[in-house]
Amino acid sequence: MHKPLIAGNWKMNTTIDQGAQLVMKLRELLKGIQDIEIVIAPPFTSLQHLNFLLADTAIKLSAQNLFWEKNGAYTGEVSGEMLRAVGCEYVIIGHSERRRYFGETDETVNKKILAALREGLKPIVCVGETLEEREAGRPVEKVSAQVRSALNGLGPGMVKDLVVAYEPVWAIGTGRNATPSQAEEVHDSIRELLYEEYGMAAVNDMRIIYGGSVKPTNIDSLMAQPNIDGVLVGGASLNAEDFARIVKFEKSPER
Ligand code: PGA
Protein backbone atom coordinates (compact mmCIF):
# COMPACT_ATOMS: atom_id res chain seq x y z
CA MET A 1 0.00 0.00 0.00
CA HIS A 2 1.19 3.50 -0.75
CA LYS A 3 1.38 6.01 2.07
CA PRO A 4 -1.28 8.56 1.07
CA LEU A 5 0.02 11.95 -0.03
CA ILE A 6 -2.12 15.02 0.63
CA ALA A 7 -0.63 18.15 -0.91
CA GLY A 8 -1.89 21.74 -0.78
CA ASN A 9 -1.14 23.98 -3.76
CA TRP A 10 -1.48 27.54 -2.52
CA LYS A 11 -0.91 28.97 -6.03
CA MET A 12 -0.34 32.78 -6.09
CA ASN A 13 -1.89 33.36 -2.67
CA THR A 14 -0.55 34.49 0.73
CA THR A 15 2.09 36.98 1.80
CA ILE A 16 4.67 35.73 4.30
CA ASP A 17 2.46 36.82 7.22
CA GLN A 18 -0.67 35.21 5.81
CA GLY A 19 1.25 32.02 5.08
CA ALA A 20 2.66 31.95 8.60
CA GLN A 21 -0.85 32.30 10.07
CA LEU A 22 -2.07 29.41 7.97
CA VAL A 23 0.89 27.25 8.96
CA MET A 24 0.42 27.98 12.68
CA LYS A 25 -3.17 26.73 12.39
CA LEU A 26 -2.11 23.66 10.41
CA ARG A 27 0.53 22.81 13.00
CA GLU A 28 -2.20 22.60 15.63
CA LEU A 29 -4.80 20.83 13.54
CA LEU A 30 -2.44 18.24 12.08
CA LYS A 31 -0.35 17.49 15.15
CA GLY A 32 0.69 13.87 15.57
CA ILE A 33 -0.43 12.57 12.16
CA GLN A 34 2.04 9.92 11.02
CA ASP A 35 0.23 7.77 8.50
CA ILE A 36 -0.31 10.47 5.89
CA GLU A 37 2.38 12.41 4.05
CA ILE A 38 1.37 16.07 4.26
CA VAL A 39 2.86 18.61 1.87
CA ILE A 40 2.19 22.31 1.29
CA ALA A 41 3.29 24.34 -1.73
CA PRO A 42 3.36 28.05 -0.83
CA PRO A 43 4.71 30.76 -3.15
CA PHE A 44 8.51 31.02 -3.49
CA THR A 45 8.63 34.12 -1.31
CA SER A 46 7.34 32.27 1.78
CA LEU A 47 9.34 29.05 1.52
CA GLN A 48 12.31 30.05 3.65
CA HIS A 49 10.23 31.44 6.50
CA LEU A 50 7.72 28.59 6.51
CA ASN A 51 10.58 26.09 6.49
CA PHE A 52 11.57 27.44 9.91
CA LEU A 53 8.00 27.31 11.19
CA LEU A 54 7.64 23.70 10.06
CA ALA A 55 10.99 22.53 11.40
CA ASP A 56 9.62 20.33 14.20
CA THR A 57 6.57 19.05 12.32
CA ALA A 58 5.91 16.29 9.78
CA ILE A 59 4.54 18.79 7.23
CA LYS A 60 6.79 18.97 4.19
CA LEU A 61 7.43 21.76 1.73
CA SER A 62 6.99 21.84 -2.02
CA ALA A 63 7.65 24.55 -4.57
CA GLN A 64 5.16 25.23 -7.35
CA ASN A 65 7.69 25.33 -10.18
CA LEU A 66 11.41 25.36 -10.99
CA PHE A 67 13.70 26.06 -13.94
CA TRP A 68 15.81 23.30 -15.43
CA GLU A 69 19.18 25.04 -15.58
CA LYS A 70 21.45 24.96 -12.53
CA ASN A 71 22.19 28.69 -12.48
CA GLY A 72 23.02 31.56 -14.83
CA ALA A 73 21.46 34.36 -16.83
CA TYR A 74 17.78 33.36 -16.57
CA THR A 75 16.10 36.40 -15.09
CA GLY A 76 13.17 35.58 -12.87
CA GLU A 77 13.79 31.85 -12.65
CA VAL A 78 14.54 29.63 -9.65
CA SER A 79 16.66 26.46 -9.70
CA GLY A 80 16.25 23.12 -7.97
CA GLU A 81 19.34 23.74 -5.87
CA MET A 82 17.80 26.98 -4.56
CA LEU A 83 14.62 25.12 -3.64
CA ARG A 84 16.52 22.43 -1.77
CA ALA A 85 18.36 25.15 0.13
CA VAL A 86 15.08 26.56 1.49
CA GLY A 87 13.86 23.16 2.61
CA CYS A 88 11.77 21.89 -0.30
CA GLU A 89 11.43 18.14 -0.69
CA TYR A 90 8.87 18.28 -3.51
CA VAL A 91 8.21 20.44 -6.55
CA ILE A 92 5.03 20.68 -8.62
CA ILE A 93 5.80 20.46 -12.34
CA GLY A 94 3.59 21.12 -15.37
CA HIS A 95 0.50 22.35 -13.57
CA SER A 96 -2.21 23.09 -16.16
CA GLU A 97 -2.13 26.77 -15.21
CA ARG A 98 1.56 26.85 -16.13
CA ARG A 99 0.87 25.03 -19.38
CA ARG A 100 -1.98 27.38 -20.20
CA TYR A 101 -0.69 30.79 -19.11
CA PHE A 102 3.09 30.37 -19.27
CA GLY A 103 3.59 28.28 -22.36
CA GLU A 104 4.84 25.10 -20.69
CA THR A 105 4.84 22.09 -22.97
CA ASP A 106 5.39 18.35 -22.57
CA GLU A 107 8.99 19.00 -23.55
CA THR A 108 9.68 21.67 -20.92
CA VAL A 109 7.88 19.55 -18.33
CA ASN A 110 10.23 16.68 -19.13
CA LYS A 111 13.30 18.93 -18.76
CA LYS A 112 12.03 20.18 -15.40
CA ILE A 113 11.43 16.65 -14.14
CA LEU A 114 14.97 15.64 -15.05
CA ALA A 115 16.34 18.75 -13.33
CA ALA A 116 14.27 18.16 -10.18
CA LEU A 117 15.47 14.57 -9.87
CA ARG A 118 19.06 15.63 -10.49
CA GLU A 119 18.77 18.06 -7.57
CA GLY A 120 17.15 15.50 -5.28
CA LEU A 121 13.63 16.96 -5.41
CA LYS A 122 10.56 14.77 -5.75
CA PRO A 123 8.47 15.91 -8.72
CA ILE A 124 4.66 16.09 -8.54
CA VAL A 125 3.93 15.96 -12.27
CA CYS A 126 0.52 17.27 -13.34
CA VAL A 127 -1.38 15.85 -16.31
CA GLY A 128 -5.01 16.10 -17.35
CA GLU A 129 -7.41 16.49 -20.24
CA THR A 130 -9.47 19.54 -21.20
CA LEU A 131 -13.26 19.49 -21.32
CA GLU A 132 -13.22 19.15 -25.13
CA GLU A 133 -10.91 16.15 -24.89
CA ARG A 134 -13.15 14.51 -22.30
CA GLU A 135 -16.27 15.20 -24.35
CA ALA A 136 -14.56 13.72 -27.39
CA GLY A 137 -14.08 10.56 -25.31
CA ARG A 138 -10.30 10.83 -25.15
CA PRO A 139 -9.22 11.48 -21.55
CA VAL A 140 -7.13 8.32 -21.26
CA GLU A 141 -5.46 8.89 -24.63
CA LYS A 142 -4.52 12.48 -23.75
CA VAL A 143 -3.28 11.69 -20.25
CA SER A 144 -1.25 8.68 -21.44
CA ALA A 145 0.47 10.82 -24.06
CA GLN A 146 1.30 13.46 -21.44
CA VAL A 147 2.67 10.88 -19.00
CA ARG A 148 4.77 9.23 -21.71
CA SER A 149 6.40 12.47 -22.80
CA ALA A 150 6.85 13.69 -19.23
CA LEU A 151 8.80 10.54 -18.39
CA ASN A 152 10.83 10.46 -21.59
CA GLY A 153 14.39 9.34 -20.81
CA LEU A 154 13.73 8.35 -17.20
CA GLY A 155 15.01 4.90 -16.27
CA PRO A 156 13.36 2.59 -13.74
CA GLY A 157 15.81 3.59 -11.02
CA MET A 158 14.73 7.24 -11.35
CA VAL A 159 10.97 7.14 -10.98
CA LYS A 160 10.29 5.80 -7.52
CA ASP A 161 10.04 9.28 -5.97
CA LEU A 162 7.95 10.65 -8.77
CA VAL A 163 4.29 11.46 -8.13
CA VAL A 164 1.79 11.77 -10.98
CA ALA A 165 -1.10 14.15 -10.30
CA TYR A 166 -4.13 13.59 -12.49
CA GLU A 167 -5.86 16.95 -12.67
CA PRO A 168 -8.61 17.20 -15.29
CA VAL A 169 -8.43 20.82 -16.48
CA TRP A 170 -12.23 21.18 -16.37
CA ALA A 171 -12.26 20.31 -12.67
CA ILE A 172 -9.66 22.81 -11.46
CA GLY A 173 -11.09 25.73 -9.53
CA THR A 174 -14.53 25.10 -11.02
CA GLY A 175 -16.17 23.34 -8.10
CA ARG A 176 -16.81 20.48 -10.50
CA ASN A 177 -14.71 17.51 -9.44
CA ALA A 178 -14.28 14.33 -11.43
CA THR A 179 -16.47 11.63 -9.96
CA PRO A 180 -14.53 8.99 -8.05
CA SER A 181 -15.12 6.50 -10.84
CA GLN A 182 -14.02 8.94 -13.58
CA ALA A 183 -10.83 9.60 -11.63
CA GLU A 184 -10.30 5.92 -10.88
CA GLU A 185 -10.57 5.01 -14.56
CA VAL A 186 -7.78 7.42 -15.52
CA HIS A 187 -5.62 6.50 -12.50
CA ASP A 188 -5.94 2.86 -13.39
CA SER A 189 -4.77 3.58 -16.95
CA ILE A 190 -1.80 5.59 -15.64
CA ARG A 191 -0.87 2.74 -13.29
CA GLU A 192 -1.04 0.30 -16.22
CA LEU A 193 1.23 2.51 -18.31
CA LEU A 194 3.76 2.88 -15.48
CA TYR A 195 3.70 -0.86 -15.01
CA GLU A 196 4.44 -1.43 -18.71
CA GLU A 197 7.28 1.11 -18.68
CA TYR A 198 8.88 0.45 -15.32
CA GLY A 199 7.68 -2.87 -13.98
CA MET A 200 6.34 -3.83 -10.61
CA ALA A 201 9.04 -2.41 -8.35
CA ALA A 202 8.71 1.17 -9.61
CA VAL A 203 4.94 1.02 -9.68
CA ASN A 204 4.69 -0.18 -6.11
CA ASP A 205 6.53 2.93 -4.97
CA MET A 206 5.00 5.53 -7.27
CA ARG A 207 1.91 7.42 -6.23
CA ILE A 208 -0.85 8.69 -8.46
CA ILE A 209 -2.87 11.48 -6.86
CA TYR A 210 -6.01 13.32 -7.96
CA GLY A 211 -6.54 17.10 -8.16
CA GLY A 212 -9.47 19.31 -9.14
CA SER A 213 -12.02 20.77 -6.71
CA VAL A 214 -11.11 18.41 -3.87
CA LYS A 215 -13.12 19.43 -0.80
CA PRO A 216 -13.98 18.05 2.65
CA THR A 217 -17.24 16.85 1.10
CA ASN A 218 -15.74 14.68 -1.65
CA ILE A 219 -12.42 13.52 -0.20
CA ASP A 220 -13.71 10.35 1.45
CA SER A 221 -15.23 8.91 -1.71
CA LEU A 222 -12.18 9.84 -3.81
CA MET A 223 -9.79 8.20 -1.35
CA ALA A 224 -11.92 5.06 -1.27
CA GLN A 225 -10.80 4.29 -4.86
CA PRO A 226 -8.02 1.71 -5.02
CA ASN A 227 -5.81 3.65 -7.44
CA ILE A 228 -6.12 7.09 -5.84
CA ASP A 229 -3.08 7.44 -3.58
CA GLY A 230 -3.70 10.99 -2.46
CA VAL A 231 -4.82 14.42 -3.64
CA LEU A 232 -3.50 17.79 -4.77
CA VAL A 233 -5.73 20.46 -3.28
CA GLY A 234 -5.93 24.05 -4.54
CA GLY A 235 -8.63 26.36 -3.17
CA ALA A 236 -9.51 24.26 -0.12
CA SER A 237 -5.87 24.18 1.02
CA LEU A 238 -6.06 27.89 1.85
CA ASN A 239 -8.51 27.17 4.65
CA ALA A 240 -6.80 25.38 7.54
CA GLU A 241 -9.93 23.58 8.77
CA ASP A 242 -10.86 22.37 5.30
CA PHE A 243 -7.34 21.19 4.54
CA ALA A 244 -7.12 19.42 7.91
CA ARG A 245 -10.40 17.62 7.24
CA ILE A 246 -9.06 16.52 3.85
CA VAL A 247 -5.88 15.18 5.48
CA LYS A 248 -8.02 13.34 8.02
CA PHE A 249 -10.13 11.63 5.36
CA GLU A 250 -12.17 8.65 6.37
CA LYS A 251 -10.19 5.52 5.65
CA SER A 252 -11.98 2.74 3.85
CA PRO A 253 -11.37 -0.78 5.23
CA GLU A 254 -8.81 -1.71 2.51
CA ARG A 255 -6.56 1.27 3.22
P1 PGA B 1 -8.60 23.35 -6.99
O1 PGA B 1 -7.14 23.33 -7.64
O2 PGA B 1 -8.58 22.39 -5.83
O3 PGA B 1 -8.82 24.77 -6.55
O4 PGA B 1 -9.56 22.91 -8.04
C1 PGA B 1 -6.43 22.13 -7.76
C2 PGA B 1 -5.10 22.40 -8.42
O5 PGA B 1 -5.03 23.25 -9.30
O6 PGA B 1 -4.06 21.76 -8.07
Side-chain angles (χ1 to χ4, degrees), residues 9 11 95 97 167 171-174 211-215 232-236:
N9 174 11
K11 308 193 179 184
H95 190 281
E97 286 151 15
E167 298 208 304
I172 295 176
T174 56
S213 298
V214 175
K215 305 271 181 271
L232 182 55
V233 188

Side-chain angles (χ1 to χ4, degrees), residues 81-97:
E81 186 185 23
M82 295 171 190
L83 297 178
R84 287 285 298 167
V86 291
C88 288
E89 181 171 327
Y90 286 88
V91 57
I92 298 171
I93 297 178
H95 190 281
S96 63
E97 286 151 15

Side-chain angles (χ1 to χ4, degrees), residues 148-164:
R148 272 184 211 287
S149 34
L151 302 186
N152 190 19
L154 270 71
M158 298 167 76
V159 290
K160 79 173 176 37
D161 288 332
L162 191 133
V163 177
V164 178

Side-chain angles (χ1 to χ4, degrees), residues 46-144:
S46 296
L47 289 170
Q48 161 98 337
H49 184 56
L50 298 187
N51 186 34
F52 285 120
L53 297 184
L54 293 173
D56 55 348
T57 75
I59 303 172
K60 296 174 174 178
L61 269 187
S62 172
Q64 299 175 15
N65 182 29
L66 86 170
F67 189 55
W68 58 79
E69 292 292 344
K70 274 176 117 43
N71 59 273
Y74 303 102
T75 302
E77 295 296 324
V78 172
S79 75
E81 186 185 23
M82 295 171 190
L83 297 178
R84 287 285 298 167
V86 291
C88 288
E89 181 171 327
Y90 286 88
V91 57
I92 298 171
I93 297 178
H95 190 281
S96 63
E97 286 151 15
R98 297 223 47 93
R99 294 179 192 252
R100 179 162 170 210
Y101 303 125
F102 304 101
E104 297 209 8
T105 63
D106 287 343
E107 198 192 352
T108 62
V109 167
N110 176 249
K111 284 177 157 179
K112 290 182 175 196
I113 294 169
L114 290 165
L117 292 170
R118 186 184 69 218
E119 298 299 338
L121 289 161
K122 299 173 179 169
I124 300 175
V125 181
C126 300
V127 294
E129 81 285 2
T130 61
L131 187 58
E132 298 78 69
E133 287 157 347
R134 174 155 287 270
E135 282 171 350
R138 302 201 317 267
V140 167
E141 204 179 302
K142 171 63 184 285
V143 168
S144 301

